[in-house]
Amino acid sequence: MGAKRKQKQKIILPPDLPPEVSEDEIEISDEDKDFVDKNKEYAGFLSTLDTQSITKHVTRVADVKEDALEAFYEKRLKRKSLQKEKEEDTELQVDRVDALPVKTLDGQLYYRTAAKTPKLSGNDPTEEETSGAADKGIVKLTKAERRAKLKKSKKEAKKQGKDAEPEVEQTLQEAVLAEVKQDLTAEEAFESKKNKLAELGMALLSDPESNIKSLKEVLQMCKDNNHAIVKLGLLSLLAVFKDIIPGYRIRLPTEKELEMKVSKDVKKMRLYESTLLSVYKAYLQKLAALEKQPSFQHVAFRCICTLLEAAPHFNFRESLLGVVIRNVGSPDDVVRKLCCSTVKSLFTNEGKHNGEATVEAVRLIANHVKAQNCQMHPDSLEVFLSLSFDEDLGRAARDEKFKPQSKKSKKKKHYEEARQQKENEKKRSRQELLAKTREEVVADYKAVAFAPDVMERRGMQTETLSAVFEIYFRILKHTMQSATRSEANAGSSTSTPEPHPLLAPCLKGLGKFSHLIDLDFMGDLINYLKKLASAGSDSENTSKCLTVSERLRCCIVAFKVMRSNLDALNVDLQDFFVQLYNIILEYRPGRDQGEVLAEALKMMLCDDRQHDMQKAAAFVKRLATFSLCSGSAESMAALVTLKHLLLKNVKCRNLLENDAGGGSVSGSVAKYHPDASDPNLSGALASVLWELNLLAQHYHPAISNMASSISTMNTAHNQVYLSTISPQQAFMDYSLERQESFNPPNDIKKSTNKRKRGSGSSLLAGIEPSADTSPIDEDDVRQKLSAHFTLLRDIKENQSLRAKLDSTTSSIQLYEEYKQQKKAKKPKTKIRKTSLTVK
């Protein structure tokens, strides 16, 4: 029992605490800081730890009193001190002459000690002597021995220092050499892989059938970690596939066909085709995976587009088309241009795929437009402008089929058929039948392989055209719906008009293929275009949703549709003339497209038949006003159209007269209304083209010469002028891009009002671009512009002054009457005169 109690009273001490270290000596790595910053929820508790309570908890001993614990610690300290003394006794101090001292960081010197060797059993006298000497103390040496030892130690220290320096240099050289070797090995590996790719590619191009298995090696190299090797591998496979892909679709043999016995050549061909198809499929999967990575995106799309353009008839065309059509409206310019050019080449080179890829591409684009809710890049729809439709397809066959035959030809045909049938029944043999069947099979094969059936091509063309018009009408419908929504939300301040990026290419396509639209849809199409282009009171907000260029395009498409169908439709286009009359003043040179305005002027005013005199005069006056406040290119296009209208409408030349009341022919409206929205109600015949006098002083010599040539036109009916330039050509010739080197002359002669009448100058007289390269005189231009705008301001002030004068004249008349009445009553009295001043 006593032994058990002793075991129970045995004290187990806690483990020793780690040595205390100052905060300055603690080094924290950047990785630890990043870890703590990222995981503050888990590492934040370290800042709130109570170290004192932890130390107390760790150093405590269970079931032991404090007095007994202190006594136990004292015994333990005494035991440790005795062990240290014994260790010091066993150490031997080395002679200070034999060893160098060691200096600590604190600056203290101490000499090293060596442990005594334990006494071994034996009668070796040397061991006894050394042990005896060690017991006695330090060995005493003479002065000469001490000096010799000092010299020896110094020489050894010098040798050790010299040996350490080349060792350090050697380690640095080895590290640099290792890095150079790594770079050299990487370059050598890159060059070797490049050479291997070149060798495999050359072998495949020289003999693809025997080296077809090398395709797998090249494809395996496309999985390398080096991006450059991957790109080279992809481009190498692209070049190989472009060369070895056959001109037909590969059909793998079925299980029954594989079980059949075939020749060696057939087996070899099957192996070649199956290997080619499997590697081609894996290559396409690799491209589809890499096109999503930014570093390989451009290379992958280049390979996909090139393959689809080179072999649209081959297998897996659907997957390639899906990738290309999905990125036709990509925000990346390089990818979008590659995809659009590929689709355009498919549309233009239908001989490679017999029109099948065209139908599939149009269907995919239609589905993509529907999925994106008509919010795509305009380039994705402009590819349809590359489509071409054969209108005469199958017309010759139908004409021959329904061509009326004469009675003689019918009788002759029946007679020959009856006679030939009798001869065939008598002379037909087995060899002739076999020869005939062979010829029929060969003819059918040729027809199917190289020239598809006319009816089949016609069906594909009809399907393509219906899909294209479905997209166009979907875009028009979406535009109308968004316009009505914006009209409903016009009162709210937060409402923003929805953009219509596909409307411009849609209108271009409708204008190009307007002759192929079914007559049943013509009326609805014209109504849609009229609503989109209108700016009346009923659709005031609708016009705000569309730009000026888009509204002008609606007018152009309406005229193209009407002219392509000639007299098939009986629709009044007066509303479109009203829209053009109002849109002209809304045009802004920097914001809107000038070429669209020039096309509208040519289509609606120049190419149209004889206009009404009142309407033509209104457009003449509006174009003259527009020329004053627009750029040189727009002004030239407007002046060309103005002159064309004056050439066709002789009575409108009365606007050139300088009478006080306007032209001699005033029309139904006696006064000119410049703010009228309808050109027929503007009364332009009662006005004068005073704008030409200002345009004759224009800074651009071509415009000034053009204005002066228009002002010299005569009102005689027998005078003939030739028009050889269109508004579009004039705009292109005098646009800013073509006139970058234009410098107006310093001294421009002021044009006089005295012009010679009856000079038959042509339209092109004096409108050639100036070749003068003298610098611009800014002061002269500034003076002319200030004079131009001050004149316009004076005209407005004169109009307001006239109104004031009318009001004041009535008051003056009343005053005069009052004065006369007063004089009649009191003739002798004098009335003080008052002076009226009119501002």
Side-chain angles (χ1 to χ4, degrees), residues 594-630:
E595 58 272 10
V596 180
L597 176 63
E599 186 181 359
L601 293 176
K602 179 181 179 297
M603 179 69 64
M604 300 177 68
L605 298 178
C606 295
D607 295 345
D608 201 9
R609 295 189 294 271
Q610 192 77 16
H611 294 284
D612 181 45
M613 185 175 57
Q614 195 71 252
K615 182 171 65 177
F619 274 105
V620 166
K621 186 67 177 175
R622 180 59 57 91
L623 290 172
T625 308
F626 172 73
S627 301
L628 289 174
C629 55
S630 57

Side-chain angles (χ1 to χ4, degrees), residues 638-675:
L639 288 176
V640 168
T641 310
L642 186 151
K643 189 165 187 178
H644 186 86
L645 290 173
L646 290 177
L647 293 176
K648 292 172 70 175
N649 301 275
V650 180
K651 291 184 179 180
C652 292
R653 297 178 198 171
N654 296 316
L655 296 173
L656 300 172
E657 297 178 359
N658 293 326
D659 297 340
S664 59
V665 182
S666 61
S668 59
V669 183
K671 188 178 179 181
Y672 175 56
H673 300 283
D675 299 331

